[in-house]
Amino acid sequence: MKLILAVVQDKDVNRLQDALSENEFKTTKLASSGGFLKEGNTTLMIGVDDEYVDQALEVIRDNCSQREQMVAPISPMGGNADSYIPKPVKVEVGGATVFVLPVEAFHHF
Amino acid sequence: MKLILAVVQDKDVNRLQDALSENEFKTTKLASSGGFLKEGNTTLMIGVDDEYVDQALEVIRDNCSQREQMVAPISPMGGNADSYIPKPVKVEVGGATVFVLPVEAFHHF
Amino acid sequence: MKLILAVVQDKDVNRLQDALSENEFKTTKLASSGGFLKEGNTTLMIGVDDEYVDQALEVIRDNCSQREQMVAPISPMGGNADSYIPKPVKVEVGGATVFVLPVEAFHHF
Ligand code: NI
Ligand code: NI
Ligand code: NI
């Protein structure tokens, strides 16, 4: 058994938890912030039997990979709205930092 | 030394922390939610010398095992209170998911 | 690679995160409370390549060691302010409880 700790962006966490759940993986969500990823993030704990580690990692990669997104910039306050045409800009979103830890024993009571 | 990560229900966590403390185990509480257990839950980190792991697990089992509890259902809003006799129902409460992790080094400063 | 889990006092966590960041260590902050340390605390997760573990521990020790601080006690409510001269008292602050965990695999997507 392994314990997977996955730090993912808040915006990806619901989709990831749904996808993990569909693959019969159970997750616990730890409130976390800052650091590995720039925006708000969440740490998921996932207990996984050895033979399913690759499958779990695949689900994480499929749902949380870093990717580019077009974002409409916020209009400058007090700007001249008529002459201002906001251009969407590309930003990096997503990303996951994943630790796979050995587990010596697992119990549930 | 081992690091025990115990995911337990919120309703059991105070009693468990008291019991662990009486047994000289120190705990740190991580805010957690969802997943392994259906209701609100908390993850406790417990650093334990190898020879006390079984004792710590026993304290967790004694205080958090899944069990049945009779719960009085909430009266339906706007129902006819005179004719409505709520029957207590059995629900599963408690439960703990416990990972015992190897620790390579432990320090306190 | 190792995963360092450091439980430190809230009052030390910003300085510690700055110092770790200056040393190129990335951290994720988990909301935590109680237990290993008496006051409010925070748990930092720090993924570190093996050869940098000692450096990371040194940064933690330098920024979070338990130390004495002089604190002005709060005046008793309703006391006679003229005759009451509060003496600063020494209190223990800081301290860090640090687990170094082996990591079997590390990924980022
Ligand atoms: Ni079972
Ligand atoms: Ni000591
Ligand atoms: Ni990279």
Side-chain angles (χ1 to χ4, degrees), chain B residues 1-3 5 17 25-32 44-48 101-109, chain C residues 2 5 7 30-37 41 43 57 60-61 64-66 95-102:
Chain B
M1 159 149 279
K2 300 286 177 278
L3 180 65
L5 290 179
Q17 279 194 300
F25 295 115
K26 286 176 188 164
T27 58
T28 288
K29 208 160 85 171
L30 299 175
S32 66
L44 290 185
M45 295 199 303
I46 314 154
V48 183
L101 305 180
V103 172
E104 215 160 273
F106 171 74
H107 305 271
H108 75 147
F109 300 125
Chain C
K2 300 287 176 278
L5 290 179
V7 186
L30 299 175
S32 66
S33 62
F36 293 125
L37 301 169
N41 62 52
T43 298
L57 292 174
I60 297 169
R61 198 189 52 212
C64 302
S65 284
Q66 198 163 40
T97 298
V98 184
F99 300 94
V100 181
L101 305 180

Side-chain angles (χ1 to χ4, degrees), chain B residues 32-53:
Chain B
S32 66
S33 62
F36 293 124
L37 302 169
K38 285 151 217 154
E39 288 183 44
N41 63 52
T42 297
T43 298
L44 290 185
M45 295 199 303
I46 314 154
V48 183
D49 281 327
D50 289 30
E51 62 265 43
Y52 295 110
V53 168

Side-chain angles (χ1 to χ4, degrees), chain A residues 77-92:
Chain A
M77 287 217 322
N80 184 339
D82 294 330
S83 65
Y84 179 76
I85 299 155
K87 278 187 217 163
V89 291
K90 257 184 212 168
V91 294
E92 300 268 323

